[in-house]
Amino acid sequence: KFPVIVKPLGFEGSEGMVNKSFAETSESALERVDFLHENLKSDALVEEFIEGREFYSGVLGNDRLTVLPLREMFFKNFPDDRAKFATFKAKWDPEFRNKWGITNSFSAPLPDGVEKKIAKISRTAYRALGLTGFGRLDLRLTSDNEIYVLEVNPNPSLQRDDEVAFAAQRLNIKYTQLIERIVQSGLQIGSRFTQ
């Protein structure tokens, strides 16, 4: 179903994601697939583009899970006629982000029940994929309040100035405590294999 997003498979941090990754026709999607094959030597993933707000939901733990406060990518000055999604420049280019008012922060208010529903979906996806320690889901919320999981990152960035660390801080989990919790989760899983 068009429009679609064409992503390079196996790349991280939106590498290879540009405005042309958004394709409204099969011809433009195939052009992007060919580009990824030839220039990035990558397979391609083509998925339906979900119009809506973009969220990042961090999850901590093994058995008892903590869903962290939601983070959101905002496109404040972005043209209405362009698709809003996390290209490489939208994530990592300060000048581009500043020009278009792209920021990441805690989510704007959500309709009643949506945050709980996102937390439940986050725990369910995390468990279904067998994640342990920590992970982060990239989600979209449509104008009809439908929630879509775009992808699940089993090893997202743990930098002090990135989504998981910021969200943990909102729960008064200091950075060193966050790292310690993740290490302890790993040790717990490791001990299950040595018993």
Side-chain angles (χ1 to χ4, degrees):
K1 193 170 164 184
F2 286 88
V4 296
I5 292 287
V6 183
K7 299 179 176 180
L9 196 60
F11 282 58
E12 296 180 13
S14 293
E15 187 177 352
M17 295 287 290
V18 297
N19 287 332
K20 286 187 177 181
S21 299
F22 176 79
E24 297 185 85
T25 65
S26 57
E27 292 78 16
S28 58
L30 288 171
E31 280 178 27
R32 188 67 190 163
V33 169
D34 287 343
F35 177 87
L36 295 176
H37 286 169
E38 292 172 23
N39 295 283
L40 296 182
K41 308 299 183 218
S42 171
D43 287 333
L45 175 66
V46 179
E47 61 187 34
E48 182 181 346
F49 176 73
I50 307 299
E51 182 68 45
R53 294 166 64 183
E54 180 144 339
F55 293 96
Y56 305 109
S57 177
V59 181
L60 300 176
N62 295 335
D63 300 316
R64 187 173 176 175
L65 304 180
T66 300
V67 178
L68 300 173
L70 286 174
R71 302 277 296 167
E72 183 172 358
M73 181 178 268
F74 295 94
F75 297 83
K76 294 177 185 153
N77 304 327
F78 214 68
D80 289 335
D81 62 343
R82 280 178 56 188
K84 297 169 183 69
F85 63 100
T87 64
F88 187 81
K89 282 187 164 210
K91 275 189 174 179
W92 306 112
D93 184 328
E95 288 182 26
F96 185 86
R97 287 173 62 86
N98 188 49
K99 175 181 178 181
W100 297 112
I102 300 171
T103 58
N104 292 50
S105 189
F106 289 100
S107 71
L110 291 163
D112 287 344
V114 170
E115 195 161 358
K116 283 185 179 180
K117 192 172 177 186
I118 288 174
K120 183 178 180 183
I121 288 169
S122 297
R123 285 191 297 273
T124 301
Y126 187 92
R127 285 192 175 110
L129 294 171
L131 272 61
T132 59
F134 77 112
R136 191 196 75 222
L137 288 82
D138 298 354
L139 306 124
R140 283 276 172 143
L141 178 68
T142 69
S143 58
D144 296 331
N145 296 323
E146 289 187 70
I147 301 161
Y148 290 84
V149 176
L150 299 181
E151 62 183 73
V152 180
N153 299 285
N155 191 23
S157 172
L158 273 179
Q159 291 180 273
R160 284 180 188 270
D161 62 349
D162 216 326
E163 304 301 339
V164 172
F166 282 140
Q169 286 173 10
R170 177 64 68 94
L171 292 182
N172 294 318
I173 302 170
K174 295 179 181 167
Y175 185 71
T176 53
Q177 294 171 319
L178 172 66
I179 301 303
E180 186 175 326
R181 278 180 74 164
I182 293 168
V183 169
Q184 290 301 322
S185 292
L187 291 172
Q188 181 186 40
I189 293 297
S191 70
R192 291 180 187 173
F193 290 110
T194 58
Q195 292 178 357

